[in-house]
Amino acid sequence: MLSTLHEEIIVIDGNQINNWDREVFEELSAGGLTCVQATCAVWEDARGAVGTLGRWFQMFREHDDLIMHVRSVDDIVTAKTVGKVGIVLGFQNASPIEDDLSLVEVFHRLGIRVMQLTYNIQNHIGASCYEPNDAGLTRFGRAVVREMNHCGMLVDLSHVGERTSLDVIELSERPVAITHANPMWFYPSPRNKSDAVIRALADGGGVIGCTVYPNFIGGHETQLGDFCAMIERLVETIGIEHVAIGTDSTRKCTAEDLSWLRNGRWRFTNGQEPPSWPRWPEWFRSPADFPNITGGLLDRGFSRHDVEAIMGGNWLRLFKQTFEPMG
């Protein structure tokens, strides 16, 4: 039942930040993924992000037997039909738009469909989840959210601070996402989310992608059953239609990559050894292990309908609500 069900349904990962190459694309395919939201900028400015997009366009050409660029929900359906993995391109920070509101539409036209408003420090838009003080969404931030709504770009709050997140949810005319985080009650990390944010997100029609990243589940010894029990409690709290998967997979990323992600250009490492990546749980070492999550949900007693929603249907619905420009 597992292999048949997993092969039949649309499977979407709300966030991955791998060092992308053919082997990783093959892992996506082996894991039965229909679509992945792929991070293509974190600390880059506009020029740096354009360069990364250029490399993605080359990969779409070189590996067109495995992957295809997703700009709309119809493209995801096409990917499923033709047996390719659809790639939704996204930013994990607003740094590529610098302080220029017009760049939201520019990057939308280049294919960006998701943008996280802040990464690990405060920016022109608002606070990150690591800031000791969160003053909320700025005036520029309010303009950015409205422009993202207008252009058809999904707002992501995964690394965003508490008050800023609540401000965004209240302001946004469209549902928003937390593409890769867990509830704070499951594991107490600043990167996980409070009940207040999760409930507000759901009340606004949004979706949270539960992450497998070890630092946000309690380490590599956390069992698949524990992860699925968390999903069950979350579903009971906010409803099946608001819960999905966002693994935050980091395949082939090096210690230097981790140092860049944590430090960017905003602080010196002072010659310290690069940090090390955490060990991933046995049941999810790469995207090829995605069927294990489907199996875990079935073992937990979720119905086929509910598994379809969590594994991809809820992302598909949210993308349909947010990817097209407003009239």
Side-chain angles (χ1 to χ4, degrees):
M1 180 179 181
L2 169 59
S3 60
T4 301
L5 173 59
H6 192 80
E7 289 174 0
E8 289 177 352
I9 64 177
I10 286 178
V11 178
I12 300 175
D13 191 339
N15 178 264
Q16 293 189 16
I17 189 170
N18 308 305
N19 262 341
W20 304 92
D21 62 11
R22 186 169 183 86
E23 182 179 359
V24 174
F25 297 142
E26 289 172 343
E27 290 175 353
L28 302 180
S29 183
L33 279 149
T34 310
C35 179
V36 173
Q37 195 251 129
T39 298
C40 62
V42 176
W43 298 113
E44 288 81 356
D45 59 11
R47 180 62 186 87
V50 169
T52 302
L53 281 170
R55 290 190 291 275
W56 266 106
F57 296 156
Q58 292 174 9
M59 287 192 287
F60 288 132
R61 290 201 305 268
E62 293 170 4
H63 307 288
D64 66 350
D65 58 322
L66 287 174
I67 61 171
M68 59 177 283
H69 188 184
V70 166
R71 294 172 177 266
S72 68
V73 169
D74 287 344
D75 289 337
I76 298 175
V77 175
T78 297
K80 181 67 176 178
T81 301
V82 302
K84 297 183 182 182
V85 180
I87 305 293
V88 175
L89 295 177
F91 294 154
Q92 272 207 62
N93 197 355
S95 60
I97 68 168
E98 302 176 4
D99 58 358
D100 187 343
L101 188 62
S102 70
L103 290 182
V104 175
E105 182 173 3
V106 169
F107 281 115
H108 183 273
R109 288 177 181 247
L110 289 173
I112 298 298
R113 291 296 178 268
V114 182
M115 185 168 72
Q116 187 172 271
L117 298 183
T118 70
Y119 194 60
N120 288 350
I121 57 171
Q122 182 161 318
N123 61 17
H124 293 306
I125 288 174
S128 89
C129 59
Y130 294 110
E131 295 295 337
N133 300 300
D134 181 350
L137 195 63
T138 67
R139 288 177 295 161
F140 179 61
R142 296 178 72 84
V144 169
V145 170
R146 292 192 183 100
E147 185 67 4
M148 290 175 70
N149 285 170
H150 174 77
C151 291
M153 193 181 290
L154 174 63
V155 177
D156 182 5
L157 302 176
S158 296
H159 288 241
V160 178
E162 176 97 356
R163 180 176 170 184
T164 300
S165 293
L166 292 171
D167 286 351
V168 170
I169 294 167
E170 181 180 8
L171 174 68
S172 181
E173 296 181 54
R174 289 179 161 181
V176 303
I178 297 168
T179 63
H180 55 297
N182 294 322
M184 189 77 76
W185 50 254
F186 183 66
Y187 186 74
S189 164
R191 266 277 287 107
N192 284 335
K193 300 300 177 181
S194 71
D195 284 344
V197 168
I198 292 173
R199 289 180 184 276
L201 176 91
D203 288 345
V207 172
I208 179 171
C210 297
T211 183
V212 184
Y213 191 77
N215 289 359
F216 311 136
I217 63 172
H220 71 275
E221 295 181 350
T222 298
Q223 299 298 305
L224 176 59
D226 299 326
F227 181 74
C228 292
M230 174 196 71
I231 291 175
E232 181 179 43
R233 178 176 164 184
L234 194 55
V235 165
E236 291 170 351
T237 303
I238 62 173
I240 186 68
E241 65 271 27
H242 304 295
V243 183
I245 304 295
T247 64
D248 205 13
S249 172
T250 58
R251 287 286 293 125
K252 296 198 171 185
C253 290
T254 66
E256 288 73 20
D257 293 325
L258 181 57
S259 182
W260 162 250
L261 290 171
R262 289 185 178 175
N263 301 307
R265 294 170 295 205
W266 65 275
R267 66 179 174 187
F268 298 125
T269 58
N270 294 323
Q272 295 177 347
E273 288 293 317
S276 59
W277 289 98
R279 180 178 167 189
W280 286 72
E282 293 286 343
W283 47 272
F284 196 91
R285 292 299 184 86
S286 84
D289 293 325
F290 240 86
N292 290 340
I293 302 178
T294 297
L297 294 174
L298 290 171
D299 290 344
R300 192 73 194 174
F302 283 93
S303 68
R304 177 190 173 107
H305 173 270
D306 288 352
V307 171
E308 284 188 84
I310 294 167
M311 294 302 292
N314 290 335
W315 284 135
L316 195 69
R317 184 194 71 253
L318 185 66
F319 293 166
K320 188 177 296 184
Q321 292 173 307
T322 56
F323 277 6
E324 294 301 321
M326 290 177 126

